[in-house]
Amino acid sequence: AAGVIQSPRHLIKEKRETATLKCYPIPRHDTVYWYQQGPGQDPQFLISFYEKMQSDKGSIPDRFSAQQFSDYHSELNMSSLELGDSALYFCASSLWGQQFFGPGTRLTVL
Amino acid sequence: AQKITQTQPGMFVQEKEAVTLDCTYDTSDQSYGLFWYKQPSSGEMIFLIYQGSYDEQNATEGRYSLNFQKARKSANLVISASQLGDSAMYFCAMREGDAGGTSYGKLTFGQGTILTVHP
């Protein structure tokens, strides 16, 4: 069965650089969620989209932005990266509520 | 206030024995969903089991069962016949505003419990 695809799987950036994380939901899933998991932490909700519209917003820094495109894939754009942004970023998708997680993108900011 | 509390930072169990991972939650919603996820050292989040607040029966999925005690606001995960491959971090999560298992709400996670299975 198709799963959530995230790219890249690993990303290394310098401070103050920008990063773009991509998420391809399971086909026909209409909702995408982004979570951030810092080292040794539980995942924290960032933002979600339903039918290409932002549906909820969590503790997402102003330096981050996200959108969902017409093909339902989503991108998380992160600017002015800080050391504290180093984390595992998960995308999840759902159709009838059950959230399926992607493998995550591990971002390291040096 | 913490919405999901997992009080066991680490748990140890002997292979083939059963283990219970604790989870308590706090919500004023009448409709909510409770989830357990497994996160191995490789990092992926693997869905294990779901319990809706209106479900009268405890959820079961293979070796996993959820001991749901609504009045006590607890949703403990029971893993029977532990296997070495069960060694991982386990997260309890809640989604508020569930209705019949369908909701588009975000998940709120607990701090996690690291389970180690000994041979």
Side-chain angles (χ1 to χ4, degrees), chain A residues 1-5 23-30 32 72 93-94 100-101:
Chain A
V4 177
I5 297 171
C23 169
Y24 298 87
I26 293 172
R28 292 184 297 281
H29 281 197
D30 55 13
V32 166
Y72 292 96
S93 74
S94 72
F100 294 88
F101 281 73

Side-chain angles (χ1 to χ4, degrees), chain A residues 9 30-31 33 35 37 41-45 48 50 55-56 88 90 94-103 106, chain B residues 2 35 37 39 41-47 49-50 89 91 95 101-112:
Chain A
R9 294 292 309 277
D30 55 13
T31 308
Y33 310 79
Y35 294 87
Q37 186 179 24
Q41 309 268 323
D42 54 287
Q44 295 290 318
F45 170 73
S48 61
Y50 169 67
S55 53
D56 197 2
L88 187 56
F90 287 107
S94 72
L95 178 61
W96 290 110
Q98 184 55 266
Q99 290 187 28
F100 294 88
F101 281 73
R106 191 170 295 278
Chain B
Q2 191 73 21
F35 300 77
Y37 285 86
Q39 187 174 41
S41 56
S42 52
E44 70 262 39
M45 292 289 282
I46 302 167
F47 165 75
I49 197 165
Y50 165 83
M89 174 72 88
F91 287 102
R95 182 178 63 208
T102 60
S103 166
Y104 297 96
K106 63 182 182 288
L107 295 177
T108 301
F109 288 84
Q111 309 94 313

Side-chain angles (χ1 to χ4, degrees), chain B:
Chain B
Q2 191 73 21
K3 289 199 168 189
I4 295 283
T5 303
Q6 295 179 251
T7 56
Q8 306 155 315
M11 287 286 285
F12 296 88
V13 66
Q14 206 70 28
E15 195 178 7
K16 299 178 187 172
E17 292 187 346
V19 63
T20 298
L21 306 184
D22 294 342
C23 173
T24 58
Y25 59 92
D26 183 28
T27 181
S28 55
D29 276 13
Q30 295 301 306
S31 298
Y32 52 90
L34 297 157
F35 300 77
W36 278 91
Y37 285 86
K38 172 184 178 181
Q39 187 174 41
S41 56
S42 52
E44 70 262 39
M45 292 289 282
I46 302 167
F47 165 75
L48 296 178
I49 197 165
Y50 165 83
Q51 178 86 41
S53 58
Y54 289 115
D55 293 341
E56 295 184 355
Q57 304 264 10
N58 283 344
T60 60
E61 289 284 351
R63 294 186 299 112
Y64 305 106
S65 60
L66 201 152
N67 184 2
F68 181 47
Q69 298 187 44
K70 196 170 181 177
R72 297 180 60 186
K73 292 191 174 178
S74 75
N76 298 339
L77 176 71
V78 180
I79 305 175
S80 63
S82 298
Q83 302 171 357
L84 296 178
D86 294 335
S87 294
M89 174 72 88
Y90 288 79
F91 287 102
C92 178
M94 177 173 63
R95 182 178 63 208
E96 293 170 296
D98 264 27
T102 60
S103 166
Y104 297 96
K106 63 182 182 288
L107 295 177
T108 301
F109 288 84
Q111 309 94 313
T113 296
I114 299 175
L115 176 66
T116 303
V117 181
H118 289 302

